[in-house]
Amino acid sequence: MNETNLRNSQRADVNGLDSAPLLEAVDLALREATKCGASASEAAATLSQGLSVTVRMDEIETVEHTRDRGLAVTVYFGKRTGSASTSDYSATSVQQTVQAACSIARFTEEDPCHGLADPDRLASEFPNLDLYHPWSLTVDEGKEAARTCEQAALDYDTRIENSEGAAVDSYQGFEVYGNSHGFLGESIWPELKSRLLDIQEKRISFMDEYGVEMMVLSLNAPAIQAIPDPHLADEMAQKSNDFLAAEIQKCPDRFAGLAALPMQDA
């Protein structure tokens, strides 16, 4: 499910980054690589955003918002390998990226060191190391923090008369990795699936935690648009719409929805 959060537009916290499209892009890339005849494959999708505020001599100098995403695919044909990347997560772009990697692999020299890690060497448990502490920084907060930093440096010695400035940065991101050994499905999908499909308890709990009053639910793109069979697209759209309608009716003051509309016959 995709989500649109109605929040303070200045704040960029964890709910502003939806990891579900990354999972879908990686899964599609791995399936496409198998279709293209690759003996093995791996893909990594990233999504990040940040804010940087710089001041110089107590005046704002730069304010920079960043938001980046990317998908890197590597395919193996025996001991030959090829890689390609894209920043477009649409089904067509992902498929073309995989096909480009496959084309490169067919013209590279064999290397006995190429290949994925053995399945028994892949991690199967992921302890919570308590390393994620998002900072919902606004431009005004960044400006004041940078000014305080610069002023502390100027106050250190009366002989200091000039400054090259001070900067405050806030950054966060997601990365999803998967390979043809089944690493993605076993390690990442169960937790993401529970977050996506548990509409009432988990999602409302997250909304309350981050101050989100209303959430708009829909299918992730391309979803229905990526199904070439019109009858199958109609069936999937109906199931999705019925599911969303039932969930929204349980808590209409917290959820609204966008219906999936198949356009294959349009």
Side-chain angles (χ1 to χ4, degrees), residues 68-246:
D68 300 298
R69 67 179 186 177
L71 172 69
V73 180
T74 299
V75 297
Y76 301 90
F77 287 78
K79 294 300 181 180
R80 300 176 186 270
T81 183
S83 300
S85 61
T86 180
S87 59
D88 183 353
Y89 287 170
S90 69
T92 299
S93 178
V94 172
Q95 290 165 345
Q96 290 175 344
T97 301
V98 174
Q99 291 161 12
C102 291
S103 296
I104 293 170
R106 293 188 178 101
F107 292 97
T108 59
E109 292 290 332
E110 291 192 358
D111 185 333
C113 295
H114 281 163
L116 299 175
D118 295 335
D120 61 353
R121 291 182 175 274
L122 296 173
S124 58
E125 296 182 4
F126 305 91
N128 182 3
L129 301 178
D130 193 26
L131 299 177
Y132 181 58
H133 303 278
W135 183 16
S136 301
L137 182 70
T138 67
V139 172
D140 287 340
E141 289 168 348
K143 178 179 66 176
E144 290 308 311
R147 279 177 168 169
T148 300
C149 233
E150 183 185 47
Q151 192 58 50
L154 292 171
D155 291 343
Y156 182 78
D157 193 308
T158 56
R159 293 171 295 178
I160 299 176
E161 298 179 351
N162 205 345
S163 164
E164 292 186 356
V168 173
D169 303 310
S170 175
Y171 169 89
Q172 61 181 326
F174 284 117
E175 180 172 352
V176 174
Y177 169 83
N179 63 39
S180 52
H181 286 334
F183 178 79
L184 174 69
E186 293 178 6
S187 62
I188 299 174
W189 177 236
E191 173 61 19
L192 290 179
K193 183 178 180 181
S194 71
R195 291 189 184 191
L196 292 170
L197 298 184
D198 185 348
I199 304 295
Q200 302 303 320
E201 294 183 11
K202 228 175 224 190
R203 195 168 291 237
I204 290 178
S205 174
F206 282 135
M207 291 167 66
D208 291 341
E209 182 178 354
Y210 292 103
V212 179
E213 294 183 4
M214 173 67 72
M215 183 179 288
V216 180
L217 305 174
S218 74
L219 273 182
N220 272 331
I224 304 303
Q225 291 81 1
I227 302 175
D229 186 321
H231 299 293
L232 181 57
D234 287 345
E235 180 183 344
M236 292 301 295
Q238 184 66 54
K239 285 182 179 179
S240 169
N241 293 338
D242 289 346
F243 175 79
L244 283 181

